[in-house]
Amino acid sequence: MAKTMAQLPYHYGVKVRIFPSTEQKWLIKRNSDASRFIYNQMNGMNNDLFWLKQVKIPITLVLDRIADLTERLKKPSTAISNIHGWLNHPDFDSLMKANAIKNYKTAWKLFRQVHQAGTPKFHKRGYTQTYQTSCLYSAKVTGPTMHNGSVRLNDSHHLQLPKLGRLRFKGLPSKILEQADDIRIGTTTVSMDAVGHYFVSMQIGSEHPFVSEQSVIKSKVGIDLNLENFLTDSNGQVIDNPHYYRTIRGKLAKAQRKLSRRARRAKKSQRRLSESKNYQKQRLLVAKLQLKVANQRKNFLHHVSTALIKNHDLVVAEELRSKNMLRNHALAMSISDVGWRTLLGMLAYKADLYGRKFLTIDPRNTTQTCSDCGYVMAGKNKLTLADRKWTCPNCGVFHVRDHNAAKNILAKGLATL
């Protein structure tokens, strides 16, 4: 019997750009809207059930409504489709409905585990589209591959999706195409960004690793993330902060002001924004500017994270709480622009992928401690953000602030191991 996705030892994610026809674009929009509607229906039923249970007086009408909602939530897909008959239209992917309900339940599960993002919220309609489907294999298929499921590759440039049919794509790595017969496809996400580019993201699994095993280098490194320069490691190497957002900040602000004026003009003449062609042209221009910055930053972070993981057996970083740091309005823009949390996430999954070790440590006193003698700067001697270089009053060793912090981070990581 073939293994399920959860049973496969190696997992990978790929995102490819697709080029749908006009009819396929309409089907993507329909399924995206339906997915959002089902998610919101689930949220609405659960909210109603919660507040009705707060009523302590045994009113028959309330008790009947509670019983009805409880029964519906046992089989939500059937209940929602029975009430809203338009969801039974053949244009809709049945697996899209199941995934929308699954995503809602996952949101609750994450809330119970983390308690930071809050309870699930209603999804608003926007300029992006997204829905999820799954790859199913028939009972006759003994060896699931990328060529014989409901989501499958027809050739190196075309793939097949439920309801959408044949789609041209580009961007699939050659190493995936070469071992497609040993790979199983799982959850698949179809999406459109604010610029109008369409993508398919596939979760794939295999019995064999997706990257070749890296040789042992016996190299360990600690990294200090800061705003002065993007990154300083314990070997003294410095990576400059590219400041992608700052380079287009003025141009973006000008474009956004123009967008705001066109929105006010459309509102004054009582036209919908979706019908205002000048507004939509400017909205697309703003979206392209923002997408360019996001892509530049992502590309930079991928290069940095891959180089760190490939060149070191152990990478140690400080555990940053970006959400708390963003409360400092003087530094909020710079912190958002630099992408620290994204880098740490990349390092974590690439370490698993390449068989390396990555860990984060508590950054407490890593800046204030002398890496040579362990003396902690406190009281009047405590370093401020302006102190980029200092000399230890205990042992007299001269330190560059960020390099010293990186050494302490590595030492803490080794002590943890």
Side-chain angles (χ1 to χ4, degrees):
M1 187 177 178
K3 290 185 178 180
T4 63
M5 282 293 292
Q7 292 170 337
L8 292 171
Y10 300 101
H11 295 90
Y12 200 65
V14 291
K15 184 176 182 179
V16 296
R17 186 171 174 188
I18 56 172
F19 303 90
S21 65
T22 303
E23 184 182 353
Q24 288 170 331
K25 287 178 182 179
W26 172 244
L27 286 172
I28 291 171
K29 185 180 187 316
R30 292 259 288 163
N31 279 275
S32 173
D33 290 346
S35 176
R36 187 184 69 251
F37 178 82
I38 292 168
Y39 186 97
N40 288 341
Q41 284 291 305
M42 288 289 296
N43 201 20
M45 287 193 293
N46 273 282
N47 282 347
D48 287 351
L49 187 61
F50 173 78
W51 289 112
L52 286 169
K53 284 183 176 180
Q54 306 308 308
V55 179
K56 302 302 179 184
I57 305 171
I59 303 170
T60 306
L61 186 65
V62 172
L63 294 176
D64 289 346
R65 178 63 175 161
I66 289 173
D68 181 44
L69 287 172
T70 305
E71 191 63 30
R72 284 189 201 176
L73 288 168
K74 288 180 182 177
K75 292 184 178 179
S77 180
T78 307
I80 294 171
S81 295
N82 288 343
I83 296 170
H84 306 280
W86 57 273
L87 287 171
N88 295 315
H89 195 279
D91 283 352
F92 297 119
D93 185 353
S94 60
L95 293 170
M96 169 273 296
K97 302 174 188 178
N99 275 285
I101 293 167
K102 177 186 171 186
N103 289 339
Y104 179 77
K105 292 178 178 178
T106 303
W108 267 110
K109 184 180 178 182
L110 289 173
F111 165 71
R112 294 188 182 102
Q113 288 177 346
V114 183
H115 288 282
Q116 280 187 356
T119 57
K121 306 291 190 300
F122 286 98
H123 285 178
K124 296 180 181 179
R125 182 171 59 184
Y127 291 106
T128 60
Q129 300 168 17
T130 182
Y131 76 92
Q132 283 187 336
T133 185
S134 300
C135 180
L136 295 182
Y137 294 91
S138 67
K140 296 178 182 178
V141 175
T142 54
T145 71
M146 295 185 80
H147 297 298
N148 56 13
S150 59
V151 178
R152 61 184 179 274
L153 297 182
N154 292 338
D155 53 54
S156 59
H157 297 290
H158 296 88
L159 58 84
Q160 193 85 10
L161 285 175
K163 300 299 179 182
L164 298 181
R166 184 182 172 91
L167 285 156
R168 184 168 67 89
F169 75 90
K170 70 173 185 179
L172 192 64
S174 57
K175 63 183 178 183
I176 301 298
L177 288 170
E178 288 167 4
Q179 52 180 330
D181 290 333
D182 298 322
I183 293 174
R184 180 187 180 120
I185 300 176
T187 304
T188 302
T189 305
V190 184
S191 61
M192 184 198 80
D193 62 19
V195 176
H197 297 161
Y198 289 83
F199 300 93
V200 167
S201 304
M202 293 180 287
Q203 178 197 14
I204 57 178
S206 176
E207 291 276 7
H208 310 289
F210 290 97
V211 297
S212 57
E213 188 175 345
Q214 301 293 306
S215 58
V216 177
I217 303 174
K218 295 184 179 179
S219 173
K220 303 173 181 62
V221 70
I223 56 173
D224 176 59
L225 303 171
N226 50 82
L227 295 175
E228 190 76 16
N229 47 66
F230 176 73
L231 179 152
T232 303
D233 68 21
S234 53
N235 299 323
Q237 294 181 343
V238 177
I239 298 175
D240 291 331
N241 190 344
H243 295 297
Y244 291 117
Y245 175 73
R246 288 180 185 273
T247 57
I248 63 133
R249 186 182 175 190
K251 189 176 181 180
L252 180 61
K254 187 176 179 180
Q256 287 174 325
R257 285 196 296 270
K258 194 173 182 179
L259 181 69
S260 181
R261 286 197 300 272
R262 291 187 177 181
R264 287 199 303 269
R265 196 178 304 154
K267 188 177 180 181
K268 191 175 181 180
S269 57
Q270 297 183 343
R271 283 180 291 121
R272 291 182 178 179
L273 293 181
S274 58
E275 297 170 355
S276 175
K277 291 184 178 179
N278 285 337
Y279 175 84
Q280 291 300 328
K281 282 181 186 177
Q282 191 63 24
R283 180 197 67 78
L284 198 60
L285 178 63
V286 170
K288 284 180 178 178
L289 283 171
Q290 292 172 331
L291 181 64
K292 181 182 178 181
V293 171
N295 286 341
Q296 285 177 322
R297 185 186 298 119
K298 191 182 294 182
N299 182 61
F300 169 73
L301 295 176
H302 270 302
H303 277 90
V304 171
S305 57
T306 302
L308 283 169
I309 291 297
K310 279 190 172 182
N311 295 325
H312 304 284
D313 296 318
L314 171 67
V315 179
V316 186
E318 51 191 328
E319 181 59 50
L320 296 173
R321 302 290 180 185
S322 298
K323 188 176 179 181
N324 296 336
M325 297 170 75
L326 287 172
R327 292 171 184 166
N328 184 340
H329 298 295
L331 301 174
M333 187 189 72
S334 297
I335 293 168
S336 298
D337 186 24
V338 79
W340 287 334
R341 287 302 313 172
T342 307
L343 177 72
L344 295 180
M346 288 179 177
L347 288 170
Y349 84 77
K350 288 180 183 181
D352 290 336
L353 190 64
Y354 288 100
R356 303 300 199 196
K357 184 76 175 175
F358 170 70
L359 59 93
T360 55
I361 54 96
D362 181 4
R364 183 182 176 86
N365 283 337
T366 51
T367 302
Q368 307 290 338
T369 305
C370 173
S371 57
D372 276 52
C373 68
Y375 178 79
V376 179
M377 302 287 280
K380 294 180 180 180
N381 293 330
K382 191 171 183 178
L383 303 174
T384 63
L385 284 173
D387 299 322
R388 308 311 303 174
K389 298 175 182 179
W390 57 285
T391 301
C392 177
N394 186 48
C395 64
V397 174
F398 175 77
H399 293 296
V400 176
R401 178 194 180 99
D402 301 331
H403 184 207
N404 175 69
K407 285 182 177 180
N408 288 329
I409 288 167
L410 176 61
K412 267 197 172 185
L414 292 171
T416 304
L417 287 175

